Structure formats: C-alpha cells, structure tokens
Amino acid sequence: EDVACSKCSRRGDAFRMLLCDGEECTVAQHTYCCDPPLLVAPAGDWFCAACASQRGSTGTRKTSVSV
C-alpha cells in the first residue's frame, strides 16, 4: 500500500513504513520519522503517539470519567 508518512509527507521506502495498529487509525510513519527514530520496525503491533497515549501503560484504552 502506497501511503504518505504523517511526519514527512513522503511516500515510498515501504520497508521502513509503519502503519498504526490503533482502532480505525490511519497514521503511517517511517521508522526514521518516529520520535525517537527507530532503527528497525518493532516486532508485533505499533501505535502512533496519539493511539499509544490513549492505550496507557497497561495496554488498554484510557477512558475519561466525569465526577
């Protein structure tokens, strides 16, 4: 799939392009555009910064609770 990197807007370098595994997320980033840059694609799922922050440290999606 030819998608543009959400950071640099370039297409190509498909072997270094990560596609977010977040639910309904369409973010794609080159490994070298990540912050911090990744030398290789991670094993397993990868989540963009927005999806990673929603998941929290327990790996579950955070929900807001009104009190």
Side-chain angles (χ1 to χ4, degrees):
E1 192 173 323
D2 186 31
V3 295
C5 174
S6 61
K7 190 84 165 197
C8 71
S9 300
R10 288 187 231 144
R11 297 179 182 275
D13 209 359
F15 291 109
R16 298 225 177 202
M17 188 69 76
L18 301 173
L19 303 176
C20 181
D21 289 306
E23 188 174 320
E24 297 183 31
C25 186
T26 60
V27 169
Q29 275 189 338
H30 293 110
T31 54
Y32 45 82
C33 290
C34 292
D35 185 22
L38 302 174
L39 297 177
V40 295
D45 293 338
W46 175 79
F47 298 93
C48 68
C51 289
S53 69
Q54 285 181 342
R55 291 176 60 80
S57 61
T58 63
T60 59
R61 184 171 284 224
K62 289 184 181 177
T63 56
S64 80
V65 176
S66 298
V67 179

